[in-house]
């Protein structure tokens, strides 16, 4: 099962409308005010890539109280961003009649093959429906793409990897840091909490094989997730075999260890650390999935950091989305989700044509599920729980880590990687970390700890 979205072809969970008094002077005055204050051209609203929806959040109340027919008549002049914000605000305020009308309006305005904001709107609408129907968890699970063949899912994930630099940002920055810390180490143990296909370590193996004096022995411990497992068509033994063959081609002594469990289940005995190994730990876009103290007394997010600290690692690399959706109230989280993914859809858009079928499939199967989860789910069922770097700093510090300011060579490696992408991507160094942005909107951060 997957979310099936076609252009402007949605069945609303609500129905019904109220009568319109066309002779009402008050209504005409209200409509005129809306036209002036809300119904601006799209280009007037996109005045910044940062907090695209903040103005709509303040003005969304102007749409409340309008009935179905009024809203339908105004669709050609309505601003989609502000309708999305107004719908979220009405849901937060439990104004269900307004939610019903605005969701029906959204059905006419969104499209999975339209502009970035229309595509985002289509998946936000599904999230709103799922929240109302308390089906967010089921939809999120179905959108893990397990209804696709492995080759289809791998293809869609590959599209996003190719056209956007977000994963390459993680691989490139982390590998550059790790190379600095292990340049003189004879035995290296890499613990990767989101190993996926293992591609990152092929780049590192190739680089370390050229090290003066010969390559080190490399031991990789891989930790898996269900989506990567399905995309591979099997377990981590596939990754281990691929990496072993690659290392052999470079005459690098290699060992692979499969933990055969997800991150939040990991205990010290599962990591297979050998005496004399220089341990490095990689957290690429994974810690935000760990439930924290707001979800469970076990607080796996901080527990894992303490566990890793007990290994006395040479360095720990962290790459995360720069977004604040963990403990925020629904409406704040909703607006933040709109803002973040509006930037992401814009960044995808510059690399693909508007009706690109592969792009549509990649967004639908590999991005939409995160949006639905953040909007529709609460408690343990909401697994997309991003935090800003400032919060990660606090968590790492409490676990006993100190920040390691990224060097100029790390920055240079990332800048070189970004040369092949649109020039609207930005790279900023701040407080020893790297921020990858789309325009003025920070999208991801890379930092190192020891």
């Amino acid at each position: 099962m997957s979310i099936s979205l076609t252009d402007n072809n949605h069945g609303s969970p609500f129905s019904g409308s109220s009568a319109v008094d066309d002779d009402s002077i008050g209504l005409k005055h209200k409509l005129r005010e809306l036209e002036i204050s809300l119904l601006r051209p799209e280009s007037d609203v996109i005045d910044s890539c940062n907090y695209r929806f903040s103005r709509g959040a303040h003005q969304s109340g102007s749409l409340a109280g309008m009935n179905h027919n009024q809203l339908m008549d105004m669709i050609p002049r309505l601003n989609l961003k502000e309708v999305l914000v107004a719908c979220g605000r009405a849901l937060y305020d439990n104004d269900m009649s307004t939610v019903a009308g605005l969701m029906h309006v959204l059905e006419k305005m969104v499209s999975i093959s339209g502009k970035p904001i229309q595509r985002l709107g289509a998946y936000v609408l599904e999230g709103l429906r799922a929240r109302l129907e308390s089906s967010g968890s089921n939809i999120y699970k179905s959108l893990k793409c397990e209804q696709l063949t492995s080759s289809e899912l791998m293809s869609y994930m590959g599209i996003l990897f190719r056209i956007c630099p977000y994963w390459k940002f993680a691989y490139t920055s982390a590998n550059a840091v790790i190379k600095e810390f292990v340049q003189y180490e004879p035995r290296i143990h890499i613990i990767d909490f989101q190993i996926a296909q293992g591609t990152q370590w092929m780049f590192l193996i190739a680089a370390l094989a050229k090290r003066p004096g010969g390559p080190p022995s490399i031991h990789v411990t891989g930790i898996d997730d269900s989506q990567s497992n399905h995309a591979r068509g099997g377990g981590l033994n596939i990754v281990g075999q691929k990496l072993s063959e690659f290392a052999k081609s470079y005459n690098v002594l290699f060992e692979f260890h499969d933990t055969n469990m997800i991150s939040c289940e990991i205990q010290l005995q599962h990591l297979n650390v050998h005496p004399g190994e220089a341990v490095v730990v990689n957290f690429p876009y994974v810690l935000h999935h760990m439930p924290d103290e707001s979800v469970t007394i076990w607080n796996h997010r901080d527990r894992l950091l303490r566990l890793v600290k007990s290994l006395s690692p040479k360095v720990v690399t962290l790459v995360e989305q720069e977004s604040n959706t963990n403990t925020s109230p629904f409406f704040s989280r909703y607006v933040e989700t709109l803002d973040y993914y509006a930037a992401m859809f814009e960044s995808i858009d510059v690399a693909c044509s508007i009706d690109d079928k592969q792009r549509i499939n990649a967004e639908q199967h590999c991005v939409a599920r995160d949006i639905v989860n953040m909007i529709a789910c609460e408690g343990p069922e909401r697994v997309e729980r991003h935090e800003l770097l400032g919060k990660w700093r606090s968590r790492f510090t409490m676990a006993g880590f100190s920040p390691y300011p990224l060097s100029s060579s790390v920055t240079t490696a990332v800048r070189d990687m970004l040369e092949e992408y649109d020039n609207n991507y930005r790279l900023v160094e701040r407080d020893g970390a790297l921020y990858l942005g789309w325009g003025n909107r920070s999208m991801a951060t890379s930092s190192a700890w020891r």
Side-chain angles (χ1 to χ4, degrees):
M1 174 185 171
S2 70
I3 288 183
S4 178
L5 295 173
T6 54
D7 292 0
N8 302 326
N9 184 24
H10 304 281
S12 173
F14 302 96
S15 61
S17 63
S18 58
V20 183
D21 180 6
D22 291 328
D23 295 326
S24 169
I25 296 176
L27 174 58
K28 289 182 179 179
H29 180 67
K30 186 171 185 178
L31 287 173
R32 180 59 181 161
E33 285 183 340
L34 278 169
E35 289 180 18
I36 293 172
S37 65
L38 283 179
L39 313 181
R40 298 183 298 279
E42 193 81 1
S43 60
D44 291 344
V45 178
I46 308 177
D47 54 4
S48 170
C49 289
N50 193 23
Y51 301 113
R52 291 163 172 76
F53 289 82
S54 60
R55 178 161 53 185
H58 291 298
Q59 298 180 337
S60 61
S62 300
L63 291 176
M66 298 195 68
N67 64 40
H68 176 270
N69 289 346
Q70 293 168 1
L71 290 168
M72 290 297 103
D73 289 343
M74 295 174 68
I75 284 178
R77 305 187 306 280
L78 284 172
N79 182 286
L80 178 52
K81 293 179 178 67
E82 291 173 351
V83 177
L84 286 167
V85 171
C87 195
R89 180 77 223 188
L91 184 56
Y92 181 64
D93 293 338
N94 202 33
D95 182 357
M96 303 314 295
S97 62
T98 297
V99 171
L102 292 177
M103 288 181 70
H104 196 54
V105 168
L106 287 172
E107 290 175 349
K108 310 300 181 183
M109 300 180 74
V110 302
S111 167
I112 61 169
S113 61
K115 297 178 181 179
I117 184 60
Q118 292 177 298
R119 305 200 306 269
L120 170 62
Y123 301 122
V124 169
L125 180 58
E126 285 301 318
L128 291 168
R129 283 198 183 113
R131 187 176 181 89
L132 290 171
E133 297 167 4
S134 300
S135 60
S137 180
N138 291 335
I139 291 178
Y140 180 77
K141 290 174 183 176
S142 73
L143 280 171
K144 284 192 173 181
C145 312
E146 294 177 0
Q147 74 282 4
L148 300 173
T149 66
S150 296
S151 60
E152 286 173 331
L153 177 54
M154 183 70 81
S155 173
Y156 298 151
M157 294 170 69
I159 290 168
L160 293 180
F161 181 86
R162 185 179 70 253
I163 66 177
C164 299
Y166 303 117
W167 272 105
K168 288 184 182 178
F169 171 69
Y171 293 177
T172 303
S173 59
N175 280 358
V177 171
I178 292 169
K179 280 172 59 180
E180 291 180 354
F181 272 89
V182 302
Q183 57 182 326
Y184 302 116
E185 298 292 341
R187 300 172 62 201
I188 302 167
H189 185 174
I190 301 165
I191 301 174
D192 190 347
F193 276 81
Q194 178 94 341
I195 197 166
Q197 315 310 318
T199 306
Q200 175 176 356
W201 309 121
M202 297 174 74
F203 291 108
L204 187 64
I205 290 169
L208 292 177
K210 304 172 185 176
R211 196 173 74 173
S217 66
I218 300 177
H219 175 193
V220 173
T221 291
I223 300 163
D224 208 3
D225 66 281
S226 60
Q227 187 181 28
S228 295
N229 184 294
H230 180 64
R232 284 192 303 268
L236 282 177
N237 61 297
I238 297 173
V239 175
Q241 182 178 354
K242 179 177 71 172
L243 290 178
S244 294
E245 292 173 355
F246 187 83
K248 185 177 180 180
S249 71
Y250 278 87
N251 296 315
V252 173
L253 188 62
F254 184 82
E255 177 186 352
F256 185 82
H257 174 61
D258 174 3
T259 60
N260 195 32
M261 61 184 58
I262 60 176
S263 296
C264 65
E265 297 174 347
I266 292 293
Q267 301 291 337
L268 183 61
Q269 63 268 24
H270 302 136
L271 297 177
N272 198 32
V273 176
H274 305 322
E277 292 180 327
V279 175
V280 298
V281 179
N282 189 44
F283 285 117
Y285 299 121
V286 64
L287 272 181
H288 72 271
H289 285 148
M290 300 301 105
D292 71 348
E293 66 278 6
S294 69
V295 181
T296 172
I297 59 172
W298 300 111
N299 188 4
H300 293 294
R301 191 169 298 200
D302 291 335
R303 182 189 69 81
L304 277 179
L305 294 182
R306 293 192 296 270
L307 171 63
V308 167
K309 182 61 179 175
S310 73
L311 301 174
S312 300
K314 297 286 290 186
V315 69
V316 176
T317 53
L318 172 72
V319 180
E320 278 291 347
Q321 291 94 328
E322 182 68 355
S323 184
N324 184 20
T325 62
N326 183 20
T327 57
S328 303
F330 170 74
F331 184 62
S332 297
R333 181 173 83 240
Y334 177 82
V335 173
E336 172 72 355
T337 300
L338 292 176
D339 188 70
Y340 185 88
Y341 283 93
M344 177 170 285
F345 277 85
E346 289 170 16
S347 71
I348 293 173
D349 200 59
V350 299
C352 294
S353 61
I354 197 167
D355 60 348
D356 187 292
K357 300 301 182 185
Q358 292 289 85
R359 190 266 305 151
I360 292 172
N361 283 327
E363 290 176 346
Q364 183 172 345
H365 292 293
C366 302
V367 180
R369 68 192 189 98
D370 296 347
I371 297 170
V372 169
N373 183 258
M374 282 184 280
I375 292 174
C377 298
E378 297 292 350
E381 292 183 342
R382 181 159 63 83
V383 298
E384 300 296 332
R385 292 177 168 272
H386 307 113
E387 293 184 318
L388 300 174
L389 180 56
K391 182 63 175 180
W392 291 118
R393 287 185 193 279
S394 297
R395 291 189 185 277
F396 271 79
T397 300
M398 286 189 295
F401 288 97
S402 298
Y404 172 74
L406 301 186
S407 68
S408 60
S409 63
V410 177
T411 303
T412 299
V414 175
R415 288 197 189 281
D416 290 345
M417 179 274 294
L418 288 176
E419 287 294 323
E420 61 185 276
Y421 294 95
D422 190 89
N423 59 15
N424 199 42
Y425 286 105
R426 302 283 190 266
L427 187 67
V428 176
E429 297 178 70
R430 188 161 67 244
D431 298 328
L434 288 180
Y435 289 72
L436 175 64
W438 173 255
N440 295 325
R441 166 78 211 205
S442 294
M443 301 297 291
T445 60
S446 179
S447 58
W449 303 83
R450 57 183 178 178

